[in-house]
Amino acid sequence: MPEGKYIIVTGGVLSGLGKGITTSSVGLLLKMQGYKVTAIKIDPYLNCDAGTMNPFQHGEVFVLEDGGEVDLDLGNYERFLDVNLSSDNNITTGKVYKNVIEKERRGDYLGKTVQIVPHITDEIREWIKRVAKKSNADICLVEIGGTVGDIESMPFLEAVRQLHREVGHENVVFLHTTLIPVIGVVGEQKTKPTQHSVKELRAIGIDPDIIIGRAKEPLAKSTREKIALFCNVPVEGVISVPDVESIYEVPLLLDKQGLTDFLMKRFGSKRRDGLEKWAEFVNKIKNAGERVDIGIVGKYTDLSDSYISIVEAFHHAGAYLGAKVNIKWIEAEDLEHGDLSLLNGLHGILVPGGFGMRGADGKINAIEYAREHNIPFLGICFGFQLAVVEYGKNVLNLDCNSTEIDPETEHPVITILPEQEGVEEMGGTMRLGAYKIKIKEGTLAHKLYGKTEISERHRHRYEVNPEYIDEIEKKGLVFSGRSADKIRMEIAELPGHKFFIASQFHPEFKSRPLRPAPLFYGFVEASLEKMREVS
Ligand code: GLN
C-alpha cells in the first residue's frame, strides 16, 4: 500500500473545464482501490476564505463540519469521496500570506528578508504535507485553481515543483486538464493550445504524467497520439473527457480508459475492483423513470452553481427514488407583482438560503402558495425563516418580519442571534458548521431522520425570536427540531399539509450520492406523489 503520495491537478487553456470533478473522480477511483484519500483545493485569490465572496460570481459557498466557508469544489470532493474535510483542505493566497505575515510580525524569521521564494512557497509546501499527514491519507490530491500562466498561481506551482523534488518522483503524479477546441466544418480537434500550456508548465519545471483533454466529443485516436508526442506523455496517459449527462459518470469514463490501471502501475500496486455500486448509482440517474418538476425560488438563479449542493442533493434523492428531478429556476423578484403563474404545475417548491431584502417578498408569496395549495414545500435557512414570517403574517395576522429585512418591524418573529449583536467583521463570524439538533418524536422530521438526535451544518446570523414560539405553535406550526440546549428553533413543519417542512440548517451539505439527505428524500418522495395525483 503506497503512502505519502500526491496527485497534483493543474489546468490549462482556460478555466471552468471541470477540474474539480476530475479531481473528485480520480479520488474516487483510488478510494475504490482501497486507499485512504484526501483532497486539497488551492484558490489563488487573496480572500482568506470563500465566505465573503458573492455566490453570483463565484458559485456557492460550501460549509464544512468545522464551520469553514470554502470553495464549492470541496463539496464535490466530499460527495465523491464520502469524507468530511476541514477548513485546512482549502488553501487560499490570503490564508498563506496571513500566516507568513503573522510569523514575520512575531519575529519567527530571525531577521531574514521574507520572500515569496522560499518563505511563501515553504508555507504552501508545509501546509500540503500537514493536511496529508493529519488526514492519514495514503494519497493526497491537490487541485490548483486557475490556469497555468496566471500570475496568481505561480507561487503554488513553484511550491508543488519543490514538493515533487522533496518527496521523490515515485510519489508524485502531475495531471493536467486542458481544453481541446474543435475548429471548422470538418470538426478537427486542435491540440495546439494544450501543447502551449504544457510548454508553460515545463518551463516552470513540471512535466505532466497525465493529460485530460476536455472536448464535446471523445478525443480521436490521432488527437491522443499527437498530444502524447508533443507533450511528452505516454498515449495511455492521454485521457478523454467528453461532455456527459451526469458528472457522476466521469469516474467510470476515466476508469474505462485505463486511468486506474495507469495510476496503480505508477504507484507500483495491484488493481482491485469496487466500482459496481457507483455504476449502479449512475445507471439509476441515467435511466430514471418518472419526472418531477420542482421549482427553486431564489435570487441567484442565473448561475446554477450558486445552488450546486442543492442541485446535487436532488440528484442523490432522485436516483434513490428512481426519478428525475427537473429543476425550474424561478427568480424570486418575478413573484412580487401578484402574478404567481410561474408556480403553476410545480410538484414541489423549494426556497433556499439567502440574504437581504431583495426578492424576500417573492419568496414569501411562493411559500404562501405552497402552503395554501397543499404543494410539497422545503425551506432552507432563509427559506425556513421566511416560512415563519409567512405564517406570522397570514395565519397569525401579525404585521411581522425578519429584522434582516425590516429592522423596524412591529413583530420581529426573526431576530439577530444574541451572540451576533455587535459583530462587525464579516469573515467567518456567522453561526457556522455542525451543531446537534434534538427532534421531537412522532413528527415528520422524526419519521424522515428516524432518530431523535441529528447533526447538521449551519450558516446564519438570524433565528426565530424565542418570544414568538408559543404563539406560533398555538396556531399550528410545529417546531419539531431544536438545538441541543432547546433555545434555537431548527426545524418547522405543518401537520396536516402534504409535506411542509423547513430547516434553519442546510441539509444539502451532507447529502451524498449513495446516502441522500433525509429532508430531500422526503421532499422528492412527496413531490412524486403530488405529480402522480395531478397527472
Ligand atoms: N440571512 C439569513 C441569516 O443570516 C439566512 C442565511 C442563509 O440562508 N444562509 O440568518
Side-chain angles (χ1 to χ4, degrees):
M1 183 73 63
E3 55 178 75
K5 310 271 185 201
Y6 297 88
I7 297 184
I8 315 285
V9 181
T10 52
V13 184
L14 45 85
S15 62
L17 292 176
K19 250 191 326 217
I21 299 300
T22 303
T23 307
S24 307
S25 302
V26 173
L28 176 76
L29 293 179
L30 294 166
K31 185 177 171 178
M32 293 309 180
Q33 299 304 310
Y35 300 120
K36 193 160 182 332
V37 181
T38 193
I40 297 174
K41 171 77 193 287
I42 291 179
D43 283 307
Y45 46 64
L46 276 162
N47 304 61
C48 284
D49 62 42
T52 54
M53 296 170 83
N54 182 349
F56 194 41
Q57 283 165 20
H58 192 75
E60 165 187 284
V61 177
F62 191 77
V63 181
L64 301 171
E65 290 289 290
D66 67 8
E69 298 173 281
V70 292
D71 184 81
L72 57 83
D73 273 326
L74 276 90
N76 288 322
Y77 302 165
E78 284 204 345
R79 287 186 281 269
F80 276 72
L81 298 174
D82 199 3
V83 288
N84 286 331
L85 301 173
S86 84
S87 309
D88 278 348
N89 289 65
N90 193 186
I91 308 178
T92 71
T93 302
K95 279 186 188 172
V96 173
Y97 272 73
K98 192 163 176 269
N99 274 6
V100 169
I101 291 169
E102 274 167 11
K103 280 187 192 164
E104 186 273 334
R105 290 290 82 184
R106 277 202 306 265
D108 291 1
Y109 293 111
L110 305 173
K112 289 204 184 83
T113 310
V114 183
Q115 295 178 297
I116 294 181
V117 184
H119 302 102
I120 293 290
T121 48
D122 279 354
E123 182 72 27
I124 297 166
R125 203 150 41 102
E126 292 308 320
W127 194 315
I128 294 173
K129 287 193 294 179
R130 191 172 64 238
V131 171
K133 190 149 184 234
K134 216 175 81 189
S135 41
N136 271 323
D138 304 313
I139 300 173
C140 177
L141 290 132
V142 183
E143 177 190 347
I144 304 184
T147 308
V148 171
D150 295 347
I151 292 178
E152 282 89 348
S153 50
M154 281 302 189
F156 294 105
L157 292 170
E158 169 60 15
V160 294
R161 182 196 68 75
Q162 294 173 8
L163 182 75
H164 175 230
R165 172 154 295 269
E166 180 192 343
V167 303
H169 184 64
E170 65 286 7
N171 293 317
V172 180
V173 169
F174 286 105
L175 189 155
H176 189 57
T177 52
T178 81
L179 176 76
I180 313 292
V182 171
I183 302 281
V185 270
V186 281
E188 195 191 343
Q189 295 175 326
K190 296 300 217 178
T191 65
K192 194 71 84 187
T194 299
Q195 293 178 36
H196 276 289
S197 77
V198 169
K199 209 164 139 190
E200 195 126 16
L201 260 183
R202 289 167 75 187
I204 302 166
I206 294 174
D207 251 314
D209 301 275
I210 297 163
I211 293 187
I212 304 236
R214 286 279 295 114
K216 204 165 176 327
E217 303 292 332
L219 297 186
K221 188 165 172 273
S222 56
T223 312
R224 293 178 64 177
E225 284 167 359
K226 202 162 172 188
I227 294 173
L229 180 69
F230 282 96
C231 301
N232 196 33
V233 289
V235 187
E236 318 84 79
V238 184
I239 309 275
S240 166
V241 178
D243 289 353
V244 280
E245 208 180 301
S246 160
I247 51 168
Y248 299 113
E249 275 179 79
V250 177
L252 303 175
L253 211 81
L254 299 178
D255 184 56
K256 226 196 275 164
Q257 291 175 71
L259 184 63
T260 316
D261 299 317
F262 184 94
L263 288 169
M264 289 302 93
K265 211 163 114 197
R266 181 74 159 64
F267 289 150
S269 4
K270 276 222 152 33
R271 163 181 193 129
R272 38 169 151 142
D273 269 315
L275 276 169
E276 303 80 10
K277 272 217 169 99
W278 193 268
E280 216 175 282
F281 161 69
V282 172
N283 237 335
K284 277 194 187 155
I285 288 196
K286 290 177 74 175
N287 301 312
E290 293 174 297
R291 198 190 91 169
V292 62
D293 293 327
I294 290 182
I296 298 184
V297 181
K299 213 161 67 162
Y300 315 114
T301 51
D302 280 347
L303 182 75
S304 57
D305 263 3
S306 315
Y307 298 113
I308 181 173
S309 292
I310 290 180
V311 173
E312 295 311 327
F314 274 131
H315 287 149
H316 308 159
Y320 215 85
L321 290 157
K324 176 174 167 44
V325 177
N326 179 42
I327 296 174
K328 290 202 167 169
W329 298 101
I330 298 164
E331 184 64 49
E333 279 184 298
D334 292 342
L335 301 177
E336 286 182 347
H337 314 288
D339 176 10
L340 299 185
S341 55
L342 284 170
L343 303 175
N344 285 350
L346 293 177
H347 309 122
I349 294 176
L350 181 142
V351 177
F355 294 83
M357 64 184 296
R358 188 171 73 78
D361 284 342
K363 293 177 185 175
I364 290 175
N365 291 341
I367 296 167
E368 180 182 5
Y369 182 91
R371 188 175 55 74
E372 299 227 312
H373 292 80
N374 212 22
I375 294 171
F377 167 76
L378 176 61
I380 297 176
C381 205
F382 201 39
F384 161 86
Q385 297 170 358
L386 294 179
V388 173
V389 173
E390 191 279 324
Y391 210 74
K393 271 193 204 257
N394 298 323
V395 181
L396 280 75
N397 290 317
L398 295 176
D399 185 5
C400 66
N401 215 330
S402 160
T403 52
E404 180 180 4
I405 302 166
D406 177 9
E408 308 301 329
T409 178
E410 201 183 320
H411 291 286
V413 288
I414 304 292
T415 43
I416 190 115
L417 286 159
E419 67 271 25
Q420 289 284 326
E421 276 179 88
V423 172
E424 279 178 14
E425 275 212 17
M426 292 299 277
T429 55
M430 283 188 245
R431 180 172 181 246
L432 289 166
Y435 286 95
K436 287 213 172 84
I437 294 148
K438 291 249 190 281
I439 292 184
K440 204 164 160 180
E441 281 186 46
T443 58
L444 174 60
H446 185 222
K447 186 177 145 223
L448 293 172
Y449 278 96
K451 46 187 169 185
T452 52
E453 191 180 289
I454 57 167
S455 166
E456 293 277 9
R457 300 184 191 174
H458 298 72
R459 183 172 190 249
H460 64 119
R461 264 183 235 286
Y462 294 83
E463 66 161 342
V464 176
N465 186 342
E467 286 174 22
Y468 286 88
I469 293 168
D470 285 348
E471 206 178 325
I472 293 170
E473 283 209 312
K474 263 189 209 133
K475 291 280 186 184
L477 193 70
V478 174
F479 290 108
S480 52
R482 300 178 185 217
S483 59
D485 56 11
K486 304 223 165 67
I487 297 172
R488 300 233 137 106
M489 297 305 104
E490 291 275 9
I491 307 177
E493 61 183 74
L494 198 54
H497 189 283
K498 189 164 197 47
F499 185 96
F500 190 100
I501 197 161
S503 64
Q504 180 61 78
F505 54 81
H506 290 264
E508 69 274 26
F509 292 141
K510 283 180 70 174
S511 180
R512 302 281 162 86
L514 307 176
R515 260 184 301 122
L519 292 183
F520 276 85
Y521 178 86
F523 178 49
V524 175
E525 197 180 35
S527 305
L528 272 165
E529 268 170 35
K530 185 83 195 174
M531 183 270 293
R532 289 182 201 126
E533 253 171 54
V534 294
S535 56

